[in-house]
Amino acid sequence: MLVGVVGLPIAWLAAAAIGAVAAGSSGLDAAMLPTALRETSLLMLWVGAITACVGLLAAWLVTLFEFPGRRLFEWALILPLAVPTYLAAYGWVEFLGFTGPVQQMVRAIAGAQTQRDYWFPDIRSNTGAAIVLSMVLYPYVYVACRSFFLMQSGSINNAARTLGASGLRTFFAVTLPLSRPPIVVGVTLAMMEVVNDLGAVEYFGVNSLTAVIYSTWINRGNFGGAAQLAVTVVLIIALLILAEQRARRARAYHMHRDSRVAPAREPLTRGQAVAAIGFCTTLLALGFGIPVGQLAYLALRNIKPEAASLTVQAGLTTLTLALAGAVITVAIGLFAARQSGPRAHPAAPGAIRLATLGYAIPGTVLALGLLQPLGATDLALNRLTLWLIDWRPGLILSGSMAALLYVYAIRFLAVSHGTLDAAMKKRGDTMLDAGRVLGVRGLALFWRVDLPTLTPAILSAAMLVFVEIVKELPATLLLRPLGVETLATVVYARANASQFAEAAPPALAIVLVGLIPVILATHWSGKRNT
């Protein structure tokens, strides 16, 4: 049943795509498709290459070498994950735009008055999108590679150094080949974010598949064509998932090596330390400092009652949706995690894996797949109530908060299930078995033993889902009720209307909420290392 509920959007899109082909209407013949495929592929490749290089190098430096500030950079380099891609795009465009501080300084130095008097690269381009997205998404590679280096036996690098290999040669001959699995894992996650993104690519003017799906449905009203494009995106995501799973199997092989010898950190010379500090500082500034600093500057400049009222109203709506979505999603995740234990049905693990694939599918695709089935359900309910009591309730599911909560549950089920499933496996069944021996069964066992032991994991899962819902843009944009604004949709609307100063306070609020899991992860990591 869970697989059916979660898989409804994809099944409906597949049926709509096939129906469009049978009717002779094909969105795949659209003139924009070749361009969308080309630009999406190039953006994915550029982001993959840049994140792989900078993420690997940063992890290599902070894990295997000792230099001033290393402990600070070790956790600070994760901070860009708190910045949604669309906010990074808005912040960078404001920073490098005509009215931004950089071009103001250029005009002051050159004595220029208008943009025709000097040349400055346009950040709103495919190249600008690749660089900005890479600076926000490199932590996926950084975290994967850093975890790998910490778990990898230090004896491998020690053996290479004993044989006379320099640090650079050891990196290319030993570290880089062994790091291919975590690099693939991190790059795959970064590429999935690129495919899922709507706000950033649209703002940069990139004709990505997700942006074309949105315009095909909203601007052209062609649901069949949009469905075909959405199915194409799902196939691309499926290929990325297969690549990531293969890399995880390869990584598991390397992880099982002897790790009793911890990776030794080699002190860097003064020149090398300066270069390492400069690289890490630049990376942190590009991914977090500049976009967040620009947001804070604009927010402080725009402290007005109207801006505060807008942020508070959108914040309350966002808070309501995020809390309700977190409760529902965690409840479903807990149910799914309890079905995958040792006493579970043999088919349960496979079904749960299918049910948790929603996190890999773009929010635009999921929202598009829910529009028609929810509308058809509302129509059937209205006809039924009209026949029974001569009354039409109107829109119950589509165009309501229920639709948003539904898509949030599908989209972020993997987050809650993964956290709870890991906690249940770590706890084991010993305490539950002891409760059964003492005569506690059924619901009493759940309330008295199961739930109290899982409370930390439940709170962690709820917090993660809460943050993800606050940052979610594409699905909220398509399914929100008329007149309902969240922090993300306010930022999107104001930025696209060139009113980014008004969008800065809610944008900064989103970033501050996004910092919660980063701070907690750092706190827990520090506890484990002490």
Side-chain angles (χ1 to χ4, degrees):
M1 179 181 176
L2 184 60
V3 175
V5 172
V6 173
L8 174 62
I10 304 304
W12 194 278
L13 286 175
I18 295 171
V21 172
S25 172
S26 177
L28 296 178
D29 294 333
M32 288 299 297
L33 180 64
T35 302
L37 283 173
R38 182 180 69 253
E39 294 196 7
T40 302
S41 301
L42 286 175
L43 186 60
M44 289 171 63
L45 290 174
W46 273 112
V47 170
I50 296 173
T51 54
C53 292
V54 300
L56 173 64
L57 184 55
W60 181 62
L61 287 172
V62 302
T63 309
L64 300 179
F65 296 96
E66 190 63 57
F67 56 91
R70 182 197 64 79
R71 291 177 63 87
L72 173 65
F73 289 122
E74 194 170 21
W75 65 264
L77 287 171
I78 310 175
L79 288 177
L81 283 180
V83 185
T85 51
Y86 58 91
L87 293 188
Y90 302 152
W92 268 104
V93 169
E94 286 296 309
F95 183 72
L96 295 179
F98 181 77
T99 59
V102 176
Q103 290 206 45
Q104 287 182 10
M105 183 176 63
V106 170
R107 287 196 297 274
I109 294 174
Q113 298 296 326
T114 67
Q115 203 163 15
R116 295 180 179 179
D117 300 333
Y118 64 99
W119 177 87
F120 195 85
D122 187 8
I123 185 67
R124 297 181 74 167
S125 62
N126 291 22
T127 303
I131 294 173
V132 171
L133 290 178
S134 299
M135 292 302 98
V136 177
L137 299 176
Y138 79 83
Y140 285 113
V141 179
Y142 167 76
V143 171
C145 290
R146 178 175 170 270
S147 299
F148 176 80
F149 291 152
L150 289 174
M151 297 182 69
Q152 185 68 41
S153 173
S155 59
I156 300 176
N157 287 334
N158 294 341
R161 300 304 298 271
T162 302
L163 293 173
S166 64
L168 197 60
R169 186 179 178 186
T170 302
F171 173 79
F172 285 105
V174 178
T175 305
L176 186 58
L178 289 176
S179 303
R180 282 180 293 184
I183 290 173
V184 172
V185 171
V187 167
T188 302
L189 293 173
M191 286 183 172
M192 285 183 182
E193 290 291 338
V194 172
V195 176
N196 177 59
D197 184 79
L198 175 63
V201 294
E202 197 175 51
Y203 200 64
F204 279 119
V206 179
N207 293 311
S208 69
L209 277 169
T210 309
V212 172
I213 290 171
Y214 184 78
S215 63
T216 300
W217 167 239
I218 297 298
N219 299 331
R220 295 169 54 191
N222 184 357
F223 185 82
Q228 290 175 329
L229 294 168
V231 171
T232 304
V233 171
V234 172
L235 293 176
I236 294 173
I237 291 293
L239 293 175
L240 291 174
I241 290 174
L242 289 175
E244 192 263 354
Q245 288 179 343
R246 290 188 63 181
R248 283 190 185 275
R249 286 197 293 268
R251 184 177 66 170
Y253 170 78
H254 291 294
M255 290 287 190
H256 290 155
R257 294 176 183 269
D258 175 27
S259 58
R260 288 172 293 179
V261 182
R265 293 190 178 93
E266 178 183 346
L268 295 178
T269 63
R270 177 173 296 182
Q272 292 171 338
V274 169
I277 294 171
F279 173 77
C280 293
T281 303
T282 302
L283 205 55
L284 185 59
L286 294 177
F288 184 80
I290 290 177
V292 175
Q294 186 67 22
L295 290 178
Y297 171 72
L298 291 174
L300 291 174
R301 283 186 57 190
N302 197 48
I303 300 179
K304 299 176 182 177
E306 298 83 4
S309 174
L310 179 67
T311 303
V312 170
Q313 289 178 5
L316 289 175
T317 303
T318 305
L319 179 66
T320 302
L321 283 170
L323 286 174
V327 170
I328 293 171
T329 307
V330 169
I332 298 173
L334 181 60
F335 170 78
R338 286 172 57 84
Q339 306 308 308
S340 57
R343 298 179 177 84
H345 190 277
I352 291 172
R353 278 195 295 271
L354 289 175
T356 54
L357 286 178
Y359 191 64
I361 300 173
T364 306
V365 173
L366 291 174
L368 187 69
L370 286 176
L371 284 171
Q372 282 195 347
L374 293 182
T377 304
D378 278 340
L379 180 61
L381 289 174
N382 276 266
R383 287 175 176 174
L384 179 62
T385 55
L386 183 64
W387 179 70
L388 290 175
I389 56 175
D390 195 26
W391 174 68
R392 293 178 183 270
L395 297 178
I396 300 173
L397 298 177
S398 59
S400 69
M401 295 292 192
L404 285 175
L405 296 176
Y406 186 3
V407 77
Y408 292 154
I410 298 174
R411 181 92 168 84
F412 304 121
L413 177 59
V415 177
S416 65
H417 172 265
T419 304
L420 295 170
D421 186 57
M424 292 178 71
K425 288 179 179 177
K426 184 177 180 180
R427 180 198 62 185
D429 291 332
T430 306
M431 298 181 70
L432 297 179
D433 292 337
R436 293 186 185 97
V437 170
L438 294 173
V440 183
R441 295 283 191 277
L443 196 59
L445 182 65
F446 173 76
W447 285 108
R448 296 177 61 182
V449 181
D450 209 3
L451 192 60
T453 57
L454 292 175
T455 297
I458 290 173
L459 294 176
S460 298
M463 180 269 297
L464 291 173
V465 174
F466 178 90
V467 172
E468 291 288 350
I469 292 175
V470 170
K471 297 192 295 183
E472 173 62 32
L473 173 64
T476 307
L477 204 60
L478 279 169
L479 291 177
R480 60 182 171 146
L482 195 63
V484 172
E485 296 283 0
T486 66
L487 291 172
T489 60
V490 165
V491 174
Y492 175 84
R494 296 300 187 278
N496 281 277
S498 299
Q499 300 173 350
F500 191 73
E502 297 180 13
L508 191 61
I510 294 175
V511 173
L512 294 177
V513 172
L515 284 172
I516 295 174
V518 176
I519 294 172
L520 291 180
T522 303
H523 175 70
W524 292 332
S525 177
K527 276 191 170 183
R528 286 196 297 267
N529 292 333
T530 55

